Amino acid sequence: MNPMDEVNRRLQKDMQERQKVIDHITENRRKAEQVLIEQRDYLKEISADVKGINEIIALVRKNNEINEQTFQLLQEVLTIITAETPEEANNILGNVVETANKANETWGTIQAIISYGKMLGKLTFPESGLFD
């Protein structure tokens, strides 16, 4: 065998091995770039979700404020049972309804407060006829 043939064979084998390494590096880069693209897409999705979460938090806070107002109104209605006279109880109910109107409570909430107040008035002053 010719020494040049041996050198050529080794060079060719070495070139093939280097090409495999280059192919492997190229494939790893391609995969890394794909991972980066996917990560960027996920971050975009997370960003969009966070914007939605902020809106939800604002709505929950607003709802909590509304529920707190309604709870305070119901607590005020309970003071009807501490009234000395039916007229005082009726005034308490009137004040609560007025406060509910100013707080922009829904008509259903106002009706429920009135019904609850009248029930308490009837229980506290059954013979007055004022809460029938």
Side-chain angles (χ1 to χ4, degrees):
M1 188 176 215
N2 182 349
M4 280 310 276
D5 288 343
E6 181 63 24
V7 170
N8 280 336
R9 189 184 62 74
R10 283 186 184 173
L11 278 173
Q12 192 172 19
K13 185 178 177 184
D14 190 44
M15 292 292 283
Q16 288 173 347
E17 288 177 14
R18 287 182 185 193
Q19 186 60 46
K20 285 181 186 178
V21 169
I22 290 171
D23 290 346
H24 183 71
I25 290 171
T26 302
E27 180 63 19
N28 283 344
R29 279 188 183 163
R30 188 194 63 74
K31 287 179 182 179
E33 287 173 3
Q34 184 63 34
V35 167
L36 287 174
I37 290 170
E38 289 173 4
Q39 287 175 342
R40 188 182 65 230
D41 290 344
Y42 291 141
L43 288 173
K44 285 180 182 177
E45 289 175 22
I46 290 170
S47 176
D49 290 344
V50 169
K51 287 178 186 173
I53 289 172
N54 290 336
E55 292 173 14
I56 290 170
I57 289 171
L59 291 173
V60 167
R61 283 184 181 151
K62 183 177 179 182
N63 190 38
N64 285 344
E65 289 172 8
I66 291 169
N67 287 338
E68 188 174 315
Q69 287 173 345
T70 303
F71 182 70
Q72 288 173 352
L73 290 170
L74 290 174
Q75 285 180 318
E76 273 187 66
V77 166
L78 280 173
T79 63
I80 287 174
I81 61 175
T82 65
E84 301 278 331
T85 65
E87 290 76 20
E88 183 183 351
N90 195 38
N91 284 339
I92 291 171
L93 180 58
N95 290 337
V96 170
V97 170
E98 185 178 328
T99 303
N101 279 325
K102 288 178 182 175
N104 292 323
E105 291 291 335
T106 64
W107 178 241
T109 300
I110 293 172
Q111 285 179 318
I113 290 170
I114 291 170
S115 296
Y116 188 57
K118 284 185 174 186
M119 179 196 67
L120 291 174
K122 280 181 188 178
L123 291 172
T124 308
F125 303 102
E127 294 156 9
S128 74
L130 193 58
F131 300 100
D132 290 332

